[in-house]
Amino acid sequence: MKIQTPPYGHPVEARERLLAAALEQFALRGYAATSVRELCEAAGVTKPVLYYYFKSKEGLFLQLMEETSAILETMIADLANYPGSARERIVHFITEVFNACDQQLPLIKLIYSILFGTPQGAPSFNLEQNYDRILETITGLVEEGIVRGEIARGNVNDIVWTIMACFSVTLEEQLCRCNPRIDGASMVRMLNLVFNGIAPH
Amino acid sequence: MKIQTPPYGHPVEARERLLAAALEQFALRGYAATSVRELCEAAGVTKPVLYYYFKSKEGLFLQLMEETSAILETMIADLANYPGSARERIVHFITEVFNACDQQLPLIKLIYSILFGTPQGAPSFNLEQNYDRILETITGLVEEGIVRGEIARGNVNDIVWTIMACFSVTLEEQLCRCNPRIDGASMVRMLNLVFNGIAPH
DNA sequence: GTCTATATTGAGATAGAC
DNA sequence: GTCTATCTCAATATAGAC
């Protein structure tokens, strides 16, 4: 699907406003429940403008997914490098990713709404790649920690998923509650529990 | 909203088939993307039958939510009692809830699709009550474990959420992947990690 | 590139016979 | 209770002027 781009020097406002409106409206109401009319009203443009730039509602959706996924990808890659022990690096990485997601909640909400929330007629798009990148990064950090003796020997996958679990559950609490019962600080405490264990020593 | 129930002795097949079809179709395609026509075709009935029993697509959805939520509620309550140490009881409870959910994946998928997947025009329904019941039950088990000295003293909420995280992330992996990378056995190992800690002692 | 006006389809819902 | 036939409306999408 070839997407038209406006000629150089022309205002791109309309196109950008449509993408922004799509992000907000799709995240708010879902893909199927958001009509082209609402999308255009929210963006302050008329319908033919949408079809001009994105060819269809589906095209707008795919373009939005592609652009935002690329943004997340580079963000995750940038956060992997940090000095300190394996434990410090893991906590730092997870915290930063969490904070970044927390500041882009509508975007994350949209991704979750497609990932967990049934296709709803939305065109398929590989939404798991960002999640997988986070998993890979944690795996690298854990493996390094084991080699250095900073993390106990054991099933790497289990360790990675346990860390991921703390991140996911905290993020999801932000997504579906206006007053989340846990936040970034709770998440760090949970990670500390995971490192230290909750059984009496 | 008053829902009609068929007179005693009459066949309830049509009504039940509609509920089953609604569960499957809503979970598969989402609320907004599923049309009344598809619903009726899947149930093998005509449209007026749906409107006769449930008054509207919305009524069918609400009835489905109400019935399934009640089923989950009693299931959770039944699983709370089990002999053994706090650790054994927690692992047992989480495992049983997970297995029950795993056997009712379409249902869980539907709940998640509404909870995380934007309203999609679906009528609002308190979907968090089952989740909250699980949290409450774990909280009780953890508090008891601390009193008995089987769990180290600490922030109860952090402990509860860490346990919940292992459950959630495992369940969600079943929901959005055909080949889940973690399963019930992984979850138990993750819980053991949480109890013992991943840092070298 | 952006508009007005419109084509076309399928949605949710109902009337009224049986 | 279940059907056929139909109403109404809003959805996506486009034609064609400017």
Side-chain angles (χ1 to χ4, degrees):
Chain A
M1 176 172 309
K2 185 76 181 302
I3 300 293
Q4 290 237 28
T5 47
Y8 183 76
H10 277 234
V12 289
E13 283 182 24
R15 187 176 179 281
E16 298 308 313
R17 278 207 310 274
L18 269 170
L19 282 169
L23 170 55
E24 193 181 322
Q25 299 293 312
F26 286 153
L28 204 64
R29 289 194 250 284
Y31 178 81
T34 303
S35 70
V36 170
R37 182 183 52 79
E38 289 169 322
L39 238 28
C40 293
E41 272 178 17
V45 302
T46 55
K47 279 195 279 184
V49 176
L50 186 154
Y51 287 95
Y52 175 78
Y53 283 114
F54 301 102
K55 202 181 138 188
S56 67
K57 179 185 177 184
E58 209 173 289
L60 170 55
F61 173 81
L62 285 174
Q63 187 64 20
L64 178 65
M65 284 296 98
E66 207 136 328
E67 294 194 7
T68 56
S69 187
I71 292 173
L72 286 177
E73 191 69 14
T74 57
M75 181 202 76
I76 293 168
D78 287 347
L79 289 173
N81 292 318
Y82 187 75
S85 67
R87 178 164 174 168
E88 285 166 344
R89 294 175 70 190
I90 289 170
V91 172
H92 173 263
F93 173 70
I94 297 284
T95 304
E96 289 298 304
V97 174
F98 174 80
N99 287 336
C101 291
D102 201 27
Q103 281 165 12
Q104 297 283 335
L105 271 193
L107 175 61
I108 308 298
K109 218 171 152 69
L110 175 57
I111 291 180
Y112 263 76
S113 78
I114 308 294
L115 198 58
F116 289 96
T118 79
Q120 324 170 13
S124 69
F125 182 84
N126 180 14
L127 289 148
E128 292 166 356
Q129 52 190 336
N130 297 130
Y131 196 83
D132 291 351
R133 274 300 276 138
I134 299 177
L135 277 175
E136 279 173 30
T137 307
I138 302 175
T139 303
L141 293 171
V142 167
E143 279 170 349
E144 210 176 303
I146 292 179
V147 169
R148 290 196 201 166
E150 294 167 10
I151 291 178
R153 231 160 259 290
N155 185 323
V156 173
N157 274 333
D158 292 344
I159 298 175
V160 169
W161 279 102
T162 308
I163 293 168
M164 194 66 177
C166 298
F167 167 75
S168 286
V169 87
T170 310
L171 185 58
E172 286 157 16
E173 181 75 2
Q174 319 302 309
L175 290 179
C176 59
R177 312 234 343 167
C178 8
N179 298 323
R181 292 160 292 187
I182 47 177
D183 57 11
S186 320
M187 187 183 66
V188 171
R189 293 198 306 272
M190 288 160 65
L191 286 174
N192 284 329
L193 278 181
V194 170
F195 275 96
N196 297 333
I198 65 175
H201 300 305
Chain B
M1 176 173 309
K2 186 76 178 305
I3 301 293
Q4 289 236 30
T5 48
Y8 183 77
H10 276 235
V12 288
E13 281 183 24
R15 186 175 179 280
E16 299 307 313
R17 278 208 309 274
L18 269 170
L19 282 169
L23 170 55
E24 193 180 321
Q25 298 294 312
F26 285 154
L28 203 64
R29 288 194 251 283
Y31 178 81
T34 304
S35 70
V36 171
R37 180 182 54 78
E38 289 169 321
L39 238 29
C40 293
E41 270 178 18
V45 302
T46 55
K47 279 196 280 182
V49 176
L50 186 154
Y51 288 95
Y52 176 77
Y53 283 114
F54 301 103
K55 204 181 134 185
S56 68
K57 180 185 177 185
E58 209 173 289
L60 170 56
F61 173 80
L62 286 174
Q63 188 64 20
L64 178 65
M65 285 294 98
E66 208 137 328
E67 295 193 8
T68 56
S69 187
I71 292 171
L72 286 177
E73 189 70 14
T74 57
M75 180 204 76
I76 294 167
D78 288 347
L79 290 174
N81 293 319
Y82 187 74
S85 68
R87 179 165 173 167
E88 286 165 344
R89 295 176 69 190
I90 289 171
V91 172
H92 173 264
F93 173 70
I94 298 283
T95 303
E96 289 298 304
V97 173
F98 174 81
N99 286 336
C101 291
D102 201 27
Q103 281 165 12
Q104 297 284 334
L105 271 194
L107 175 61
I108 308 298
K109 217 170 153 68
L110 175 57
I111 291 180
Y112 263 76
S113 79
I114 308 294
L115 197 59
F116 289 96
T118 78
Q120 321 172 17
S124 69
F125 182 83
N126 181 14
L127 291 148
E128 293 165 355
Q129 53 191 335
N130 298 128
Y131 196 83
D132 291 351
R133 275 299 277 137
I134 299 177
L135 276 175
E136 278 172 31
T137 307
I138 302 175
T139 303
L141 293 172
V142 167
E143 279 170 350
E144 211 175 302
I146 292 180
V147 169
R148 289 195 201 167
E150 294 167 11
I151 290 178
R153 231 159 261 290
N155 185 324
V156 173
N157 274 332
D158 292 343
I159 298 174
V160 169
W161 278 102
T162 307
I163 294 168
M164 194 67 179
C166 297
F167 166 75
S168 286
V169 87
T170 310
L171 185 58
E172 287 158 16
E173 182 74 3
Q174 319 303 309
L175 290 179
C176 57
R177 310 233 346 165
C178 8
N179 298 322
R181 292 160 292 188
I182 48 176
D183 57 10
S186 321
M187 188 184 66
V188 172
R189 293 198 306 272
M190 287 160 65
L191 286 174
N192 284 329
L193 277 181
V194 170
F195 275 97
N196 298 332
I198 64 175
H201 300 305

